[in-house]
Amino acid sequence: MRNHFEGQPPLEDPHRPQYHFLPPANWMNDPNGLIQWKNQFHLFYQYNPYGAFHGSIHWGHAVSTDLVHWRHLPVALAPTPDGPDKDGCWSGCAIDHNGVPTIFYTGVSPQVQCTATSSDDLLTWQKRLQPVIAAPPPDIREHAGGDLRDPFVWRQDGLWYMLLTSKIEGGGGLVLLYRSADTINWEYLHPLISGDVNQRDPFWTGTIWECPNLIDFGDKQVILVSLQGTPNTFLYVCYFTGEFRQESFTTHSRHILVPTNIFYAPQVMRLDDGRVILFSWILEDRTARSALQAGWSGMMSLPLECSLLEAGKLGLAPVRELQSLRKNHSRFVNLQPNGSFLLLQGQALEILARFEPAPGSAFGLKVRCSPDGQEQTLIICRENQVIIDSERSSLNTDVNRRITSLPVEIEGRINLHIFLDHSILEVFVNDQSYLVSRIYPSRPDSLGIGVFAEGSVNIPQLDVWVLDSIWE
Ligand code: FRU
């Protein structure tokens, strides 16, 4: 196999994030096998060592002591010629099985569920030759079109449970439930949740589901799935809040996690301190050709802390460990923008701003602005919405431009917590909701950061930190 560290993208690539995780080069997609093991966090991920495209999928591997700074480790899993994973080691999870690190993943093609164990602290993996689930259950087989993947395993009441995702052709997405006493012999129980391809209200749940996760909040459980439309279009991540009792799930409400199709296939992990942390694949938002030229594609979201809010909604907030990246600090007080002005320059920043608007005002921040405003990306608050407007983010025509919006009750005050890292912009609203966009400004002088308002708004305090790189 080609050396993992060869052919790195040039250091001066202006779009490479500096404080988000991504492999040294090539393609990545989903986070896999997240686990805290002996006081270290392990992050595996879907990785193609042969280029910046989804091809021969391996499991890349990295380790961290704080969720923020990562060290690359050798590739953990590669397809075995003639093995059940000969065409790829697709997504899956990691568990601690009586002290033995154990992973489950999907081998292709056909899609079967495989397992492997490690005896050297997760560095190398011994695969079990035969899949633990070799085919879809009989009642699904004819309708699933071969789709059955992305095992998520947890322990409950002395047994192991597994979720897999699939579909019913013409029906909708499916989450299937399995049970095992020993992690090798799995008994199929039944579909746990099913989608309806014809239902559009409150939103469409697509034709196929992927990457299930179950988060246990005690009284309530949340099941996350990533939704695809036909053929192969990512829709968004959706979650069902309800109760998992006696091997069945009762849905109380369902929601979209992040209103965009560039945030996909997240995975959660429960830390020893009780926090639920989520990482998501963040897709590129430019042509496949640009990614091939750049030599890399895909990155991880920031580590996000999940909480269950009222009305069954999930809150997403940046983990506190990110504060260790803060370097130079600037504070602005009592800004009252009338029109727009620039405050400073930067492309790897954290910005924390409180706004107190008069009713009917539109206001916000702009980032990556060229001096003449030809390139700029806006974060706009108006009419109970927060919007990332990247319509003018780049003069490059190989780049997508979008309006991404989130409904929010503004009512007199709103907090924006913004993380800008070269080509990624993440916005947390009132420490709860999350928006993300990719931006690829073409001009080297598109570095301005500013505020703007139509109507009246007071900004009692606005803090900006330059953030350090996470790499040594
Ligand atoms: C989600 C996904 C998974 C699959 C993996 C393949 O992005 O399609 O369903 O296991 O990616 O790389």
Side-chain angles (χ1 to χ4, degrees):
M1 195 201 330
R2 206 170 90 183
N3 186 323
H4 184 49
F5 296 93
E6 266 175 30
Q8 292 202 20
L11 281 176
E12 66 275 15
D13 181 339
H15 302 309
R16 289 269 299 173
Q18 296 302 313
Y19 64 85
H20 285 76
F21 177 84
L22 74 176
N26 304 320
W27 168 274
M28 66 147 266
N29 55 301
D30 319 352
N32 293 150
L34 291 175
I35 190 166
Q36 183 171 7
W37 185 264
K38 296 191 181 165
N39 291 324
Q40 292 197 313
F41 304 105
H42 288 262
L43 166 65
F44 301 88
Y45 55 91
Q46 295 280 282
Y47 175 61
N48 177 14
Y50 305 114
F53 56 94
H54 188 270
S56 169
I57 293 294
H58 295 50
W59 275 33
H61 187 192
V63 70
S64 169
T65 51
D66 64 358
L67 297 165
V68 173
H69 297 85
W70 293 94
R71 190 159 51 86
H72 293 295
L73 293 175
V75 164
L77 279 187
T80 301
D82 304 325
D85 60 7
K86 63 183 184 323
D87 290 329
C89 302
W90 283 18
S91 285
C93 64
I95 58 162
D96 175 350
H97 182 210
N98 302 330
V100 180
T102 303
I103 55 176
F104 299 90
Y105 66 99
T106 300
V108 285
S109 345
Q111 295 179 20
V112 294
Q113 315 318 315
C114 301
T115 188
T117 54
S118 173
S119 51
D120 59 1
D121 289 335
L122 292 73
L123 272 180
T124 58
W125 294 87
Q126 289 71 53
K127 295 179 185 173
R128 192 185 155 82
L129 290 178
Q130 297 305 320
V132 288
I133 298 177
D139 55 333
I140 310 290
R141 196 164 301 164
E142 280 170 35
H143 313 282
D147 285 308
L148 183 70
R149 59 178 173 272
D150 306 340
F152 178 88
V153 176
W154 78 102
R155 187 156 180 87
Q156 188 168 334
D157 306 328
L159 289 168
W160 295 99
Y161 287 93
M162 181 191 286
L163 301 181
L164 290 173
T165 35
S166 182
K167 67 159 189 277
I168 295 282
E169 208 88 59
L174 279 183
V175 177
L176 303 180
L177 181 66
Y178 288 72
R179 184 174 65 190
S180 173
D182 58 8
T183 73
I184 302 294
N185 298 292
W186 290 92
E187 177 191 357
Y188 168 61
L189 295 176
H190 41 246
L192 197 60
I193 314 183
S194 24
D196 178 352
V197 78
N198 298 311
Q199 198 183 337
R200 302 268 155 178
D201 190 34
F203 54 84
W204 190 42
T205 57
T207 52
I208 173 160
W209 293 357
E210 305 182 300
C211 299
N213 282 248
L214 182 136
I215 316 177
D216 185 7
F217 287 107
D219 296 351
K220 298 263 170 60
Q221 286 68 42
V222 170
I223 292 178
L224 290 176
V225 281
S226 295
L227 314 184
Q228 273 199 21
T230 25
N232 289 332
T233 48
F234 298 124
L235 296 175
Y236 27 67
V237 178
C238 133
Y239 61 96
F240 300 83
T241 303
E243 288 174 50
F244 179 73
R245 300 270 179 278
Q246 278 133 25
E247 302 177 341
S248 306
F249 188 77
T250 310
T251 301
H252 298 166
S253 58
R254 65 180 159 104
H255 314 265
I256 291 175
L257 186 60
V258 180
T260 176
N261 61 359
I262 62 153
F263 177 104
Y264 198 77
Q267 188 168 98
V268 295
M269 94 175 121
R270 169 79 67 178
L271 306 191
D272 293 347
D273 67 13
R275 286 181 292 167
V276 177
I277 304 300
L278 176 151
F279 282 94
S280 181
W281 172 31
I282 305 288
L283 285 78
E284 298 305 313
D285 211 4
R286 51 181 174 173
T287 58
R289 188 186 59 181
S290 322
L292 285 175
Q293 274 165 2
W296 59 280
S297 177
M299 57 178 291
M300 285 301 163
S301 66
L302 288 177
L304 304 174
E305 184 174 347
C306 295
S307 56
L308 190 61
L309 309 174
E310 70 290 350
K313 288 199 157 186
L314 274 185
L316 294 177
V319 299
R320 56 176 181 262
E321 285 84 348
L322 287 162
Q323 292 174 15
S324 69
L325 298 174
R326 290 175 178 174
K327 289 197 297 188
N328 304 357
H329 178 219
S330 319
R331 173 166 290 172
F332 302 86
V333 292
N334 290 323
L335 296 173
Q336 270 142 8
N338 189 358
S340 115
F341 55 86
L342 296 180
L343 299 169
L344 54 110
Q345 296 203 327
Q347 53 189 337
L349 301 175
E350 175 184 355
I351 307 169
L352 194 52
R354 199 164 83 228
F355 296 85
E356 294 170 351
S361 312
F363 55 92
L365 283 150
K366 41 190 191 175
V367 299
R368 302 300 311 263
C369 303
S370 59
D372 59 4
Q374 215 183 16
E375 287 188 334
Q376 55 178 302
T377 299
L378 304 175
I379 303 146
I380 311 168
C381 304
R382 71 160 179 251
E383 291 163 7
N384 286 331
Q385 286 199 84
V386 176
I387 300 162
I388 300 182
D389 175 352
S390 71
E391 297 274 12
R392 281 189 285 163
S393 60
S394 180
L395 297 171
N396 182 348
T397 50
D398 276 350
V399 163
N400 292 337
R401 294 165 191 75
R402 307 177 173 242
I403 304 280
T404 308
S405 70
L406 185 78
V408 178
E409 294 213 355
I410 293 179
E411 284 179 9
R413 56 179 298 165
I414 183 166
N415 289 340
L416 297 183
H417 194 172
I418 294 166
F419 289 85
L420 171 67
D421 189 6
H422 296 256
S423 59
I424 180 167
L425 175 62
E426 286 162 295
V427 178
F428 297 87
V429 182
N430 294 335
D431 301 320
Q432 286 185 347
S433 321
Y434 169 87
L435 272 171
V436 57
S437 191
R438 299 300 302 269
I439 50 175
Y440 306 89
S442 66
R443 289 176 47 164
D445 60 353
S446 291
L447 294 170
I449 308 288
V451 289
F452 64 88
E454 282 165 28
S456 144
V457 66
N458 182 37
I459 309 175
Q461 191 166 312
L462 187 152
D463 287 296
V464 183
W465 292 269
V466 174
L467 295 195
D468 213 349
S469 159
I470 60 171
W471 309 107
E472 281 158 13

